[in-house]
Amino acid sequence: MLPTTNISIVAHRMRVYGELRLVPVVDKGILVGVITRSDLLRHRHSGGRLRRTARRIGGVVPVAPLPEAMAPRGAGRIGGRPTSSLRVADVMTDGGLVAIPPELALDETAEVLLSYRFTAVPVVDDRDHLLGIVSEADLMHGSLDGGRRLRARTVSEVMTRDVEVVHPADPLTDAEDLLSRRGFRVVPVVDDEDVLVGVLSRSDLL
């Protein structure tokens, strides 16, 4: 892309090529920068209000970023156990979960993703039942379309409802296969009543 390329064209290119997360910017054959999905969201939502309705499961979201994932404890073993015997519950992130309600405005949703550097965030009702998940790609699709704003204004209008999930007791090898086969970065973990109890990410698997 050239530095003068319209951002709507960049957004369209990223949507068409789903795995494309950044686009090089070249001026006279020289690389001068890159544009990421976060850049596009930040451009549209700059100056927006600080997120107010995103929350941790069981409490209000603090302003501080989430803690980094735990470091690996040894190849082939975690906590003294062979990885082949592990369950999702053994490695999933179950503390400091951030979720948003379906009625949250897209502007504020973008701020949640940007502030926490998430690529996606679960959507839950007031009893923490998983309703769907909203990603950077969903927000881009709901905010830019050939330079025209779409009518979508809330998360419920753009979120993915048919979500792949895992359960705490599932074998970790099955979850690894799901993330690898589908190319997911994160997958929600729910209990038998579809209540969000954690998330499993590539960092957790590492």
Side-chain angles (χ1 to χ4, degrees):
M1 294 290 180
L2 298 173
T4 55
T5 300
N6 189 291
I7 60 171
S8 295
I9 297 176
V10 180
H12 175 73
R13 186 70 57 85
M14 285 185 172
R15 288 202 305 272
V16 171
Y17 302 99
E19 292 299 316
L20 188 63
R21 302 193 61 80
L22 61 84
V23 176
V25 180
V26 178
D27 187 16
K28 297 179 181 179
I30 299 176
L31 180 67
V32 295
V34 296
I35 298 177
T36 66
R37 290 180 178 180
S38 294
D39 292 330
L40 293 179
L41 293 176
R42 188 175 295 110
H43 173 82
R44 178 176 185 259
H45 302 292
S46 60
R49 301 178 299 277
L50 182 65
R51 66 211 183 278
R52 294 189 300 274
T53 54
R55 60 190 176 86
R56 287 190 188 230
I57 298 300
V60 178
V61 177
V63 176
L66 297 178
E68 294 295 329
M70 294 178 62
R73 302 181 185 176
R77 303 182 72 85
I78 296 182
R81 293 174 56 189
T83 55
S84 59
S85 68
L86 291 174
R87 303 290 173 176
V88 168
D90 294 318
V91 300
M92 71 182 190
T93 298
D94 58 1
L97 295 178
V98 175
I100 59 175
E103 66 273 12
L104 187 64
L106 297 185
D107 286 1
E108 294 185 84
T109 303
E111 289 198 36
V112 173
L113 293 176
L114 292 170
S115 297
Y116 287 96
R117 297 182 180 181
F118 290 161
T119 58
V121 63
V123 182
V124 300
D125 64 16
D126 56 4
R127 292 181 297 174
D128 296 336
H129 290 103
L130 182 68
L131 302 177
I133 193 167
V134 64
S135 67
E136 291 176 334
D138 293 327
L139 293 182
M140 289 170 57
H141 183 73
S143 60
L144 293 169
D145 185 13
R148 295 180 289 108
R149 287 175 183 261
L150 299 183
R151 293 183 179 180
R153 291 292 181 267
T154 63
V155 169
S156 63
E157 298 174 82
V158 301
M159 71 183 188
T160 299
R161 297 176 183 273
D162 186 15
V163 181
E164 293 272 11
V165 300
V166 294
H167 297 86
D170 289 348
L172 188 59
T173 51
D174 291 351
E176 288 177 320
D177 179 66
L178 175 63
L179 268 71
S180 175
R181 174 167 44 85
R182 298 297 299 274
F184 295 151
R185 292 176 176 271
V186 62
V187 62
V189 183
V190 299
D191 64 14
D192 292 337
E193 298 180 351
D194 287 332
V195 172
L196 182 69
V197 295
V199 294
L200 185 68
S201 69
R202 294 180 181 180
S203 296
D204 294 325
L205 294 180
L206 291 177

mmCIF file with all atom_site columns, all heavy atoms in Angstrom, residues 41 44-45 106 138-145 148-150 152 158:
data_model
loop_
_atom_site.group_PDB
_atom_site.id
_atom_site.type_symbol
_atom_site.label_atom_id
_atom_site.label_alt_id
_atom_site.label_comp_id
_atom_site.label_asym_id
_atom_site.label_entity_id
_atom_site.label_seq_id
_atom_site.pdbx_PDB_ins_code
_atom_site.Cartn_x
_atom_site.Cartn_y
_atom_site.Cartn_z
_atom_site.occupancy
_atom_site.B_iso_or_equiv
_atom_site.pdbx_formal_charge
_atom_site.auth_seq_id
_atom_site.auth_comp_id
_atom_site.auth_asym_id
_atom_site.auth_atom_id
_atom_site.pdbx_PDB_model_num
ATOM 1   N N   . LEU A 1 41  ? -8.657  0.496   13.924 1.00 0.00 ? 41  LEU A N   1
ATOM 2   C CA  . LEU A 1 41  ? -9.618  0.734   14.991 1.00 0.00 ? 41  LEU A CA  1
ATOM 3   C C   . LEU A 1 41  ? -9.284  2.009   15.750 1.00 0.00 ? 41  LEU A C   1
ATOM 4   O O   . LEU A 1 41  ? -10.157 2.797   16.090 1.00 0.00 ? 41  LEU A O   1
ATOM 5   C CB  . LEU A 1 41  ? -9.645  -0.455  15.957 1.00 0.00 ? 41  LEU A CB  1
ATOM 6   C CG  . LEU A 1 41  ? -10.192 -1.760  15.386 1.00 0.00 ? 41  LEU A CG  1
ATOM 7   C CD1 . LEU A 1 41  ? -10.068 -2.859  16.412 1.00 0.00 ? 41  LEU A CD1 1
ATOM 8   C CD2 . LEU A 1 41  ? -11.627 -1.600  14.939 1.00 0.00 ? 41  LEU A CD2 1
ATOM 9   N N   . ARG A 1 44  ? -10.381 5.134   13.843 1.00 0.00 ? 44  ARG A N   1
ATOM 10  C CA  . ARG A 1 44  ? -11.815 5.424   13.874 1.00 0.00 ? 44  ARG A CA  1
ATOM 11  C C   . ARG A 1 44  ? -12.281 5.846   15.251 1.00 0.00 ? 44  ARG A C   1
ATOM 12  O O   . ARG A 1 44  ? -13.142 6.706   15.392 1.00 0.00 ? 44  ARG A O   1
ATOM 13  C CB  . ARG A 1 44  ? -12.621 4.188   13.440 1.00 0.00 ? 44  ARG A CB  1
ATOM 14  C CG  . ARG A 1 44  ? -14.127 4.413   13.508 1.00 0.00 ? 44  ARG A CG  1
ATOM 15  C CD  . ARG A 1 44  ? -14.898 3.233   12.986 1.00 0.00 ? 44  ARG A CD  1
ATOM 16  N NE  . ARG A 1 44  ? -16.325 3.544   12.959 1.00 0.00 ? 44  ARG A NE  1
ATOM 17  C CZ  . ARG A 1 44  ? -17.199 3.149   13.858 1.00 0.00 ? 44  ARG A CZ  1
ATOM 18  N NH1 . ARG A 1 44  ? -16.794 2.441   14.876 1.00 0.00 ? 44  ARG A NH1 1
ATOM 19  N NH2 . ARG A 1 44  ? -18.475 3.465   13.759 1.00 0.00 ? 44  ARG A NH2 1
ATOM 20  N N   . HIS A 1 45  ? -11.710 5.239   16.283 1.00 0.00 ? 45  HIS A N   1
ATOM 21  C CA  . HIS A 1 45  ? -12.240 5.454   17.626 1.00 0.00 ? 45  HIS A CA  1
ATOM 22  C C   . HIS A 1 45  ? -11.373 6.378   18.479 1.00 0.00 ? 45  HIS A C   1
ATOM 23  O O   . HIS A 1 45  ? -11.541 6.437   19.678 1.00 0.00 ? 45  HIS A O   1
ATOM 24  C CB  . HIS A 1 45  ? -12.406 4.113   18.343 1.00 0.00 ? 45  HIS A CB  1
ATOM 25  C CG  . HIS A 1 45  ? -13.305 3.180   17.589 1.00 0.00 ? 45  HIS A CG  1
ATOM 26  N ND1 . HIS A 1 45  ? -14.642 3.409   17.431 1.00 0.00 ? 45  HIS A ND1 1
ATOM 27  C CD2 . HIS A 1 45  ? -13.049 2.025   16.924 1.00 0.00 ? 45  HIS A CD2 1
ATOM 28  C CE1 . HIS A 1 45  ? -15.190 2.440   16.731 1.00 0.00 ? 45  HIS A CE1 1
ATOM 29  N NE2 . HIS A 1 45  ? -14.247 1.588   16.406 1.00 0.00 ? 45  HIS A NE2 1
ATOM 30  N N   . LEU A 1 106 ? -19.976 -0.067  19.731 1.00 0.00 ? 106 LEU A N   1
ATOM 31  C CA  . LEU A 1 106 ? -18.779 -0.513  19.027 1.00 0.00 ? 106 LEU A CA  1
ATOM 32  C C   . LEU A 1 106 ? -17.574 0.357   19.360 1.00 0.00 ? 106 LEU A C   1
ATOM 33  O O   . LEU A 1 106 ? -16.449 -0.143  19.430 1.00 0.00 ? 106 LEU A O   1
ATOM 34  C CB  . LEU A 1 106 ? -19.025 -0.516  17.515 1.00 0.00 ? 106 LEU A CB  1
ATOM 35  C CG  . LEU A 1 106 ? -20.102 -1.477  17.011 1.00 0.00 ? 106 LEU A CG  1
ATOM 36  C CD1 . LEU A 1 106 ? -20.149 -1.457  15.486 1.00 0.00 ? 106 LEU A CD1 1
ATOM 37  C CD2 . LEU A 1 106 ? -19.863 -2.885  17.518 1.00 0.00 ? 106 LEU A CD2 1
ATOM 38  N N   . ASP A 1 138 ? -14.495 -8.447  13.360 1.00 0.00 ? 138 ASP A N   1
ATOM 39  C CA  . ASP A 1 138 ? -15.916 -8.131  13.457 1.00 0.00 ? 138 ASP A CA  1
ATOM 40  C C   . ASP A 1 138 ? -16.135 -6.626  13.516 1.00 0.00 ? 138 ASP A C   1
ATOM 41  O O   . ASP A 1 138 ? -17.048 -6.089  12.875 1.00 0.00 ? 138 ASP A O   1
ATOM 42  C CB  . ASP A 1 138 ? -16.534 -8.771  14.710 1.00 0.00 ? 138 ASP A CB  1
ATOM 43  C CG  . ASP A 1 138 ? -16.567 -10.287 14.641 1.00 0.00 ? 138 ASP A CG  1
ATOM 44  O OD1 . ASP A 1 138 ? -16.717 -10.830 13.537 1.00 0.00 ? 138 ASP A OD1 1
ATOM 45  O OD2 . ASP A 1 138 ? -16.422 -10.921 15.700 1.00 0.00 ? 138 ASP A OD2 1
ATOM 46  N N   . LEU A 1 139 ? -15.303 -5.934  14.288 1.00 0.00 ? 139 LEU A N   1
ATOM 47  C CA  . LEU A 1 139 ? -15.453 -4.490  14.421 1.00 0.00 ? 139 LEU A CA  1
ATOM 48  C C   . LEU A 1 139 ? -15.126 -3.780  13.114 1.00 0.00 ? 139 LEU A C   1
ATOM 49  O O   . LEU A 1 139 ? -15.776 -2.797  12.744 1.00 0.00 ? 139 LEU A O   1
ATOM 50  C CB  . LEU A 1 139 ? -14.562 -3.958  15.540 1.00 0.00 ? 139 LEU A CB  1
ATOM 51  C CG  . LEU A 1 139 ? -14.933 -4.385  16.958 1.00 0.00 ? 139 LEU A CG  1
ATOM 52  C CD1 . LEU A 1 139 ? -13.991 -3.746  17.970 1.00 0.00 ? 139 LEU A CD1 1
ATOM 53  C CD2 . LEU A 1 139 ? -16.374 -4.017  17.275 1.00 0.00 ? 139 LEU A CD2 1
ATOM 54  N N   . MET A 1 140 ? -14.121 -4.254  12.423 1.00 0.00 ? 140 MET A N   1
ATOM 55  C CA  . MET A 1 140 ? -13.775 -3.650  11.139 1.00 0.00 ? 140 MET A CA  1
ATOM 56  C C   . MET A 1 140 ? -14.905 -3.834  10.149 1.00 0.00 ? 140 MET A C   1
ATOM 57  O O   . MET A 1 140 ? -15.268 -2.925  9.405  1.00 0.00 ? 140 MET A O   1
ATOM 58  C CB  . MET A 1 140 ? -12.493 -4.274  10.592 1.00 0.00 ? 140 MET A CB  1
ATOM 59  C CG  . MET A 1 140 ? -11.251 -3.881  11.353 1.00 0.00 ? 140 MET A CG  1
ATOM 60  S SD  . MET A 1 140 ? -9.832  -4.858  10.838 1.00 0.00 ? 140 MET A SD  1
ATOM 61  C CE  . MET A 1 140 ? -9.804  -4.517  9.078  1.00 0.00 ? 140 MET A CE  1
ATOM 62  N N   . HIS A 1 141 ? -15.507 -5.013  10.139 1.00 0.00 ? 141 HIS A N   1
ATOM 63  C CA  . HIS A 1 141 ? -16.611 -5.290  9.225  1.00 0.00 ? 141 HIS A CA  1
ATOM 64  C C   . HIS A 1 141 ? -17.821 -4.438  9.570  1.00 0.00 ? 141 HIS A C   1
ATOM 65  O O   . HIS A 1 141 ? -18.581 -4.028  8.698  1.00 0.00 ? 141 HIS A O   1
ATOM 66  C CB  . HIS A 1 141 ? -16.988 -6.767  9.292  1.00 0.00 ? 141 HIS A CB  1
ATOM 67  C CG  . HIS A 1 141 ? -18.074 -7.140  8.329  1.00 0.00 ? 141 HIS A CG  1
ATOM 68  N ND1 . HIS A 1 141 ? -17.855 -7.228  6.980  1.00 0.00 ? 141 HIS A ND1 1
ATOM 69  C CD2 . HIS A 1 141 ? -19.389 -7.415  8.511  1.00 0.00 ? 141 HIS A CD2 1
ATOM 70  C CE1 . HIS A 1 141 ? -18.980 -7.560  6.365  1.00 0.00 ? 141 HIS A CE1 1
ATOM 71  N NE2 . HIS A 1 141 ? -19.927 -7.678  7.281  1.00 0.00 ? 141 HIS A NE2 1
ATOM 72  N N   . GLY A 1 142 ? -17.972 -4.148  10.845 1.00 0.00 ? 142 GLY A N   1
ATOM 73  C CA  . GLY A 1 142 ? -19.125 -3.372  11.266 1.00 0.00 ? 142 GLY A CA  1
ATOM 74  C C   . GLY A 1 142 ? -18.928 -1.884  11.205 1.00 0.00 ? 142 GLY A C   1
ATOM 75  O O   . GLY A 1 142 ? -19.864 -1.125  11.428 1.00 0.00 ? 142 GLY A O   1
ATOM 76  N N   . SER A 1 143 ? -17.719 -1.417  10.908 1.00 0.00 ? 143 SER A N   1
ATOM 77  C CA  . SER A 1 143 ? -17.476 0.018   10.943 1.00 0.00 ? 143 SER A CA  1
ATOM 78  C C   . SER A 1 143 ? -17.032 0.588   9.607  1.00 0.00 ? 143 SER A C   1
ATOM 79  O O   . SER A 1 143 ? -17.208 1.768   9.345  1.00 0.00 ? 143 SER A O   1
ATOM 80  C CB  . SER A 1 143 ? -16.408 0.341   12.005 1.00 0.00 ? 143 SER A CB  1
ATOM 81  O OG  . SER A 1 143 ? -15.198 -0.316  11.691 1.00 0.00 ? 143 SER A OG  1
ATOM 82  N N   . LEU A 1 144 ? -16.441 -0.228  8.755  1.00 0.00 ? 144 LEU A N   1
ATOM 83  C CA  . LEU A 1 144 ? -15.934 0.274   7.480  1.00 0.00 ? 144 LEU A CA  1
ATOM 84  C C   . LEU A 1 144 ? -16.398 -0.628  6.346  1.00 0.00 ? 144 LEU A C   1
ATOM 85  O O   . LEU A 1 144 ? -16.311 -1.832  6.429  1.00 0.00 ? 144 LEU A O   1
ATOM 86  C CB  . LEU A 1 144 ? -14.398 0.309   7.482  1.00 0.00 ? 144 LEU A CB  1
ATOM 87  C CG  . LEU A 1 144 ? -13.736 1.309   8.437  1.00 0.00 ? 144 LEU A CG  1
ATOM 88  C CD1 . LEU A 1 144 ? -12.246 1.026   8.512  1.00 0.00 ? 144 LEU A CD1 1
ATOM 89  C CD2 . LEU A 1 144 ? -13.986 2.731   7.982  1.00 0.00 ? 144 LEU A CD2 1
ATOM 90  N N   . ASP A 1 145 ? -16.910 -0.032  5.300  1.00 0.00 ? 145 ASP A N   1
ATOM 91  C CA  . ASP A 1 145 ? -17.313 -0.805  4.137  1.00 0.00 ? 145 ASP A CA  1
ATOM 92  C C   . ASP A 1 145 ? -17.261 0.104   2.919  1.00 0.00 ? 145 ASP A C   1
ATOM 93  O O   . ASP A 1 145 ? -18.224 0.789   2.602  1.00 0.00 ? 145 ASP A O   1
ATOM 94  C CB  . ASP A 1 145 ? -18.711 -1.386  4.318  1.00 0.00 ? 145 ASP A CB  1
ATOM 95  C CG  . ASP A 1 145 ? -19.111 -2.307  3.164  1.00 0.00 ? 145 ASP A CG  1
ATOM 96  O OD1 . ASP A 1 145 ? -18.219 -2.665  2.374  1.00 0.00 ? 145 ASP A OD1 1
ATOM 97  O OD2 . ASP A 1 145 ? -20.300 -2.645  3.056  1.00 0.00 ? 145 ASP A OD2 1
ATOM 98  N N   . ARG A 1 148 ? -18.142 3.692   3.589  1.00 0.00 ? 148 ARG A N   1
ATOM 99  C CA  . ARG A 1 148 ? -19.475 3.969   4.137  1.00 0.00 ? 148 ARG A CA  1
ATOM 100 C C   . ARG A 1 148 ? -19.627 3.308   5.498  1.00 0.00 ? 148 ARG A C   1
ATOM 101 O O   . ARG A 1 148 ? -19.261 2.169   5.677  1.00 0.00 ? 148 ARG A O   1
ATOM 102 C CB  . ARG A 1 148 ? -20.572 3.435   3.209  1.00 0.00 ? 148 ARG A CB  1
ATOM 103 C CG  . ARG A 1 148 ? -20.625 4.121   1.879  1.00 0.00 ? 148 ARG A CG  1
ATOM 104 C CD  . ARG A 1 148 ? -21.735 3.544   1.013  1.00 0.00 ? 148 ARG A CD  1
ATOM 105 N NE  . ARG A 1 148 ? -21.397 2.193   0.561  1.00 0.00 ? 148 ARG A NE  1
ATOM 106 C CZ  . ARG A 1 148 ? -21.963 1.090   1.015  1.00 0.00 ? 148 ARG A CZ  1
ATOM 107 N NH1 . ARG A 1 148 ? -22.871 1.146   1.959  1.00 0.00 ? 148 ARG A NH1 1
ATOM 108 N NH2 . ARG A 1 148 ? -21.631 -0.101  0.543  1.00 0.00 ? 148 ARG A NH2 1
ATOM 109 N N   . ARG A 1 149 ? -20.193 4.023   6.449  1.00 0.00 ? 149 ARG A N   1
ATOM 110 C CA  . ARG A 1 149 ? -20.474 3.441   7.758  1.00 0.00 ? 149 ARG A CA  1
ATOM 111 C C   . ARG A 1 149 ? -21.706 2.554   7.641  1.00 0.00 ? 149 ARG A C   1
ATOM 112 O O   . ARG A 1 149 ? -22.704 2.926   7.039  1.00 0.00 ? 149 ARG A O   1
ATOM 113 C CB  . ARG A 1 149 ? -20.746 4.535   8.798  1.00 0.00 ? 149 ARG A CB  1
ATOM 114 C CG  . ARG A 1 149 ? -19.506 5.305   9.227  1.00 0.00 ? 149 ARG A CG  1
ATOM 115 C CD  . ARG A 1 149 ? -19.920 6.437   10.153 1.00 0.00 ? 149 ARG A CD  1
ATOM 116 N NE  . ARG A 1 149 ? -18.760 7.226   10.527 1.00 0.00 ? 149 ARG A NE  1
ATOM 117 C CZ  . ARG A 1 149 ? -18.114 7.092   11.657 1.00 0.00 ? 149 ARG A CZ  1
ATOM 118 N NH1 . ARG A 1 149 ? -18.478 6.162   12.507 1.00 0.00 ? 149 ARG A NH1 1
ATOM 119 N NH2 . ARG A 1 149 ? -17.085 7.868   11.946 1.00 0.00 ? 149 ARG A NH2 1
ATOM 120 N N   . LEU A 1 150 ? -21.639 1.383   8.222  1.00 0.00 ? 150 LEU A N   1
ATOM 121 C CA  . LEU A 1 150 ? -22.805 0.514   8.255  1.00 0.00 ? 150 LEU A CA  1
ATOM 122 C C   . LEU A 1 150 ? -23.702 0.925   9.423  1.00 0.00 ? 150 LEU A C   1
ATOM 123 O O   . LEU A 1 150 ? -23.339 1.748   10.250 1.00 0.00 ? 150 LEU A O   1
ATOM 124 C CB  . LEU A 1 150 ? -22.359 -0.948  8.389  1.00 0.00 ? 150 LEU A CB  1
ATOM 125 C CG  . LEU A 1 150 ? -21.491 -1.476  7.243  1.00 0.00 ? 150 LEU A CG  1
ATOM 126 C CD1 . LEU A 1 150 ? -21.191 -2.948  7.464  1.00 0.00 ? 150 LEU A CD1 1
ATOM 127 C CD2 . LEU A 1 150 ? -22.185 -1.279  5.901  1.00 0.00 ? 150 LEU A CD2 1
ATOM 128 N N   . ALA A 1 152 ? -24.642 -0.910  11.925 1.00 0.00 ? 152 ALA A N   1
ATOM 129 C CA  . ALA A 1 152 ? -24.309 -1.579  13.185 1.00 0.00 ? 152 ALA A CA  1
ATOM 130 C C   . ALA A 1 152 ? -23.749 -0.578  14.192 1.00 0.00 ? 152 ALA A C   1
ATOM 131 O O   . ALA A 1 152 ? -22.861 0.198   13.868 1.00 0.00 ? 152 ALA A O   1
ATOM 132 C CB  . ALA A 1 152 ? -23.314 -2.694  12.942 1.00 0.00 ? 152 ALA A CB  1
ATOM 133 N N   . VAL A 1 158 ? -22.741 -7.326  15.432 1.00 0.00 ? 158 VAL A N   1
ATOM 134 C CA  . VAL A 1 158 ? -21.567 -7.749  14.661 1.00 0.00 ? 158 VAL A CA  1
ATOM 135 C C   . VAL A 1 158 ? -20.863 -8.972  15.236 1.00 0.00 ? 158 VAL A C   1
ATOM 136 O O   . VAL A 1 158 ? -20.020 -9.577  14.571 1.00 0.00 ? 158 VAL A O   1
ATOM 137 C CB  . VAL A 1 158 ? -20.536 -6.597  14.533 1.00 0.00 ? 158 VAL A CB  1
ATOM 138 C CG1 . VAL A 1 158 ? -21.155 -5.392  13.846 1.00 0.00 ? 158 VAL A CG1 1
ATOM 139 C CG2 . VAL A 1 158 ? -19.969 -6.209  15.897 1.00 0.00 ? 158 VAL A CG2 1
#
